[in-house]
């Protein structure tokens, strides 16, 4: 049986690993895959009376069709600022406006751009795996310290290490599945 202090170490490692996977999933949402998705504006900020604010805080973002994003600012004075923020974010979108709504037509992805996105997604996945492995390493170090300093029995320490390894394997597999699903989504024409 695993003692309480070892369970706490395992639970902290589990939380860090979950955060790494959640961060990966969130960052992959912003990848433009040839269809309109308001999430591509998640990291775009616009100057709102001197305060950098996400576009979603100053306008409503809708997808009237599969290839168009419509951004309707709550204040007309924000139209030019939203256009500038989209251009500055270098998303590969060209905004246009009719005086009330900013429209962005999402162009189809080229084969080259698809490969570039897959490469970028895989790099994000590797970064997440590094975070998971670091959490494992930290947990194992803490378990060894607990055995040395706090009198944690050696068999309990080994059992806890195995549990941390199982968590690591589970989250690495989850990261691989997330990346492979995104790769399939990107390659779908």
């Amino acid at each position: 049986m695993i003692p309480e202090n070892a369970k706490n170490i395992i639970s902290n490692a589990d939380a860090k690993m979950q955060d790494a996977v959640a961060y990966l999933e969130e960052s992959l949402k912003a990848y433009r895959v040839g269809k309109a998705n308001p999430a591509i504006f998640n990291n775009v900020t616009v100057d709102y009376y001197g305060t950098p604010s996400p576009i979603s805080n100053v306008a409503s973002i809708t997808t009237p069709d599969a290839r168009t994003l419509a951004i309707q600012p709550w204040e007309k004075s924000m139209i030019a600022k939203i256009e500038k923020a989209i251009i500055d974010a270098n998303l590969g979108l060209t905004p246009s406006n009719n005086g009330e709504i900013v429209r962005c037509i999402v162009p189809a992805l080229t084969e080259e751009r698809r490969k570039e996105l897959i490469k970028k997604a895989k790099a994000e996945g590797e970064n997440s795996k590094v975070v998971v492995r670091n959490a494992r390493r930290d947990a194992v170090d803490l378990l060894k310290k607990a055995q040395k300093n706090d009198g944690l029995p050696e068999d309990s320490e080994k059992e806890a290490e195995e549990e941390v390894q199982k968590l690591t394997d589970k989250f690495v597999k989850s990261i691989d599945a997330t990346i492979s699903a995104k790769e399939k989504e990107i390659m779908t024409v």
Side-chain angles (χ1 to χ4, degrees):
M1 196 177 109
I2 301 175
E4 198 58 39
N5 59 346
K7 282 182 182 175
N8 289 339
I9 292 170
I10 293 169
S11 132
N12 286 342
D14 183 33
K16 286 179 186 171
M17 292 176 189
Q18 282 179 3
D19 288 349
V21 172
Y23 178 80
L24 173 67
E25 289 170 350
E26 193 57 39
S27 67
L28 289 180
K29 281 182 186 174
Y31 283 42
R32 187 172 60 79
V33 291
K35 54 184 176 255
N37 181 354
I40 66 174
F41 295 126
N42 284 355
N43 299 324
V44 180
T45 57
V46 63
D47 179 39
Y48 185 67
Y49 297 107
T51 306
S53 305
I55 288 182
S56 58
N57 287 6
V58 298
S60 65
I61 304 171
T62 57
T63 52
D65 62 57
R67 305 293 294 262
T68 308
L69 288 160
I71 305 159
Q72 178 147 23
W74 293 312
E75 298 174 30
K76 283 188 181 178
S77 64
M78 294 303 295
I79 288 178
K81 291 178 180 180
I82 289 172
E83 280 187 309
K84 182 178 179 344
I86 292 170
I87 292 168
D88 291 349
N90 197 18
L91 298 171
L93 299 174
T94 307
S96 62
N97 79 72
N98 63 5
E100 295 196 11
I101 295 176
V102 176
R103 292 190 189 285
C104 294
I105 305 297
V106 179
L109 292 177
T110 63
E111 186 69 26
E112 185 180 312
R113 180 70 177 140
R114 289 176 195 278
K115 287 180 178 166
E116 197 179 296
L117 282 173
I118 289 171
K119 195 173 178 182
K120 198 171 161 190
K122 285 182 177 178
E124 291 265 3
E126 278 308 310
N127 290 343
S128 294
K129 286 181 187 178
V130 167
V131 171
V132 167
R133 291 183 191 120
N134 286 345
R136 175 190 61 195
R137 185 197 61 222
D138 294 347
V140 168
D141 289 349
L142 288 171
L143 289 167
K144 288 189 188 308
K145 269 187 200 158
Q147 180 194 357
K148 187 176 176 186
N149 302 337
D150 303 338
L152 178 68
E154 189 175 336
D155 58 334
S156 293
E157 186 257 342
K158 290 292 179 208
E159 192 180 336
E161 268 187 47
E162 287 173 17
E163 196 61 39
V164 169
Q165 185 58 49
K166 284 179 191 170
L167 280 174
T168 303
D169 294 342
K170 177 180 109 178
F171 284 109
V172 166
K173 191 179 279 187
S174 170
I175 289 169
D176 286 339
T178 302
I179 293 300
S180 126
K182 192 65 176 182
E183 189 174 341
K184 200 174 284 179
E185 182 185 341
I186 290 170
M187 288 311 287
T188 303
V189 179

